[in-house]
Amino acid sequence: MTIFLACYITLIGLILGSFFNVVGLRIPAGESLLRPPSHCPSCNTQLKARDLVPVLSYLFTQGKCRHCGSRISPLYMLGELATGLLFLWIYLQFGLTGKGIIGFLLVSLAVIVTVADLKFMRIPNKVLLFFLPLLSIAVLLFPETSLVSHLLGAASGGGILLLLALFGGMGMGDVKLMVLLGLVLGFPNVILAFLIACLLGTMVGGTLLLTGRIQRKQHIPFGPWLAAGALLAFSYGSHLISGYLALIR
């Protein structure tokens, strides 16, 4: 039964990942989620059902449009695959519990934010406002800590990024995202999420700089690393903090 549910959850994640791609690509561009239907961005040919099978359609066509042969961004497939695997990860850790539900919502937010920020360097307000009531209700229904801790997480997480934004080191979309993530994670997990995000962003940014993929002072999106840090802090925060405190005693 567990294997069946794991496969089912992964499949749901793959399907939702395809929709999250649409949200992350269309909402920042001010486009409708419904019109026009899914189409090739190069030749505008409407895609058929066989072109929309998550991951498999991309692999079978070798990442090219069947109609015009133009390259299709791997971002589509990666968004689908990441959502499926992250849904599986959350299920294997928490099962179909309250924390699991919060985890699924966090993954959904993380994927949409990552797609939007990588493509447009923007984190849409509409996405954050959609997830705000969902995550708030989930936290109230399935609290992991006190309400004060969650509110302190929102205030401290948003406050740190707001200070950075005032000095030009961060966008306001990142600030708003961190407020929402802090509300879910609570304090001190939100601080851990921020530190993990900084570490991941520095490692990736440094690698891209050394390999010549980006230039000095070129901006890179920080939203994906905030999302990754939040997921890691959500899943392993207490263990990481306990391990660190044990080392410094």
Side-chain angles (χ1 to χ4, degrees):
M1 187 64 177
T2 301
I3 295 177
F4 172 78
L5 278 175
C7 293
Y8 180 73
I9 293 293
T10 305
L11 178 60
I12 293 297
L14 291 171
I15 295 171
L16 286 176
S18 182
F19 174 68
F20 295 160
N21 279 334
V22 174
V23 176
L25 293 171
R26 292 196 181 192
I27 291 297
E31 300 175 354
S32 168
L33 296 180
L34 302 177
R35 299 291 178 185
S38 296
H39 58 281
C40 171
S42 296
C43 65
N44 289 321
T45 303
Q46 183 174 334
L47 302 179
K48 301 184 181 299
R50 61 176 174 172
D51 301 312
L52 300 174
V53 180
V55 179
L56 295 181
S57 291
Y58 185 91
L59 295 177
F60 287 155
T61 60
Q62 298 181 331
K64 297 179 181 178
C65 173
R66 289 192 304 108
H67 306 281
C68 66
S70 61
R71 298 291 302 178
I72 299 173
S73 171
L75 189 62
Y76 293 95
M77 183 193 70
L78 293 175
E80 295 165 351
L81 186 61
T83 310
L85 293 177
L86 287 172
F87 266 45
L88 175 62
W89 173 55
I90 291 294
Y91 171 70
L92 292 178
Q93 283 199 93
F94 308 115
L96 299 178
T97 63
K99 189 164 185 178
I101 292 172
I102 297 175
F104 292 138
L105 288 173
L106 270 182
V107 166
S108 303
L109 173 63
V111 172
I112 294 173
V113 163
T114 296
V115 171
D117 212 11
L118 287 177
K119 180 67 176 179
F120 298 100
M121 294 282 288
R122 283 187 56 207
I123 299 175
N125 288 332
K126 288 183 179 180
V127 172
L128 300 178
L129 289 174
F130 176 82
F131 278 95
L132 175 60
L134 295 178
L135 286 168
S136 298
I137 292 171
V139 167
L140 289 174
L141 291 176
F142 313 111
E144 285 290 314
T145 183
S146 68
L147 178 60
V148 173
S149 173
H150 288 290
L151 293 177
L152 184 57
S156 58
I160 291 172
L161 262 70
L162 179 59
L163 288 175
L164 294 175
L166 292 177
F167 289 97
M170 204 69 61
M172 287 305 298
D174 297 315
V175 177
K176 298 169 190 174
L177 173 63
M178 199 58 175
V179 171
L180 182 53
L181 295 176
L183 180 65
V184 177
L185 297 174
F187 188 88
N189 277 353
V190 66
I191 305 301
L192 176 63
F194 174 69
L195 294 176
I196 294 174
C198 290
L199 176 62
L200 293 175
T202 301
M203 291 173 59
V204 173
T207 301
L208 293 175
L209 184 62
L210 289 174
T211 56
R213 301 294 296 273
I214 62 172
Q215 303 301 317
R216 287 186 179 277
K217 298 185 179 181
Q218 180 177 339
H219 292 292
I220 61 173
F222 194 54
W225 312 122
L226 288 175
L231 288 173
L232 290 172
F234 176 77
S235 299
Y236 307 117
S238 59
H239 300 293
L240 292 173
I241 292 173
S242 298
Y244 174 75
L245 292 176
L247 285 175
I248 62 176
R249 284 176 183 170

